[in-house]
Amino acid sequence: QVQLVESGGGLVQAGGSLRLSCAASGRAYTMAWFRQAPGKERLFVAAIGWAGISTNYADSVKGRFTVSRDNAKNTVYLEMNSLKPEDTAVYYCAASGRPLGMATRNYDYWGQGTQVTVSS
């Protein structure tokens, strides 16, 4: 069973940057990031395949966020630039054996989440 631990969340001003990390304890084929704001459903942010070549992004973050992975470290990253207040949410790392899914039901393993707060 894959275990995931997120880190790197915090407070940042609008226009600033953060990098989130997700350390996996086991093999993961596809890894993804989701986010959930208070009172809202959990939404897809980005996903990356096992080789770090295939990626998918939500329209709201294209051109601003970059997902990458380092399989030697068994870690996936989410580089977030030009942050906006609407990016404020708890960010979750997820893993799946199915490639590049964009729905929560496609993922079998989840981290506990890390809070990202963007001030205006």
Side-chain angles (χ1 to χ4, degrees):
Q1 187 172 17
V2 176
Q3 297 184 55
L4 306 171
V5 180
E6 304 97 334
S7 62
L11 299 170
V12 64
Q13 293 183 336
S17 300
L18 284 174
R19 187 173 83 163
L20 305 183
S21 298
C22 175
S25 66
R27 297 288 185 181
Y29 184 69
T30 298
M31 298 187 72
W33 291 94
F34 290 75
R35 65 188 184 187
Q36 187 168 23
K40 304 293 185 180
E41 64 180 325
R42 191 170 300 183
L43 297 176
F44 173 80
V45 176
I48 187 166
W50 71 271
I53 298 172
S54 297
T55 58
N56 284 337
Y57 295 94
D59 288 342
S60 59
V61 305
K62 286 181 180 177
R64 300 190 297 121
F65 291 10
T66 302
V67 63
S68 62
R69 69 191 298 167
D70 184 342
N71 287 345
K73 298 180 179 179
N74 212 18
T75 300
V76 65
Y77 305 96
L78 184 68
E79 298 179 5
M80 305 184 293
N81 300 311
S82 301
L83 283 162
K84 305 174 181 179
E86 52 262 45
D87 295 318
T88 295
V90 176
Y91 283 70
Y92 296 90
C93 181
S96 175
R98 298 180 62 184
L100 301 177
M102 298 175 67
T104 58
R105 59 179 171 82
N106 293 325
Y107 291 86
D108 303 307
Y109 307 103
W110 295 85
Q112 292 299 113
T114 185
Q115 177 71 47
V116 172
T117 302
V118 183
S119 61
S120 60

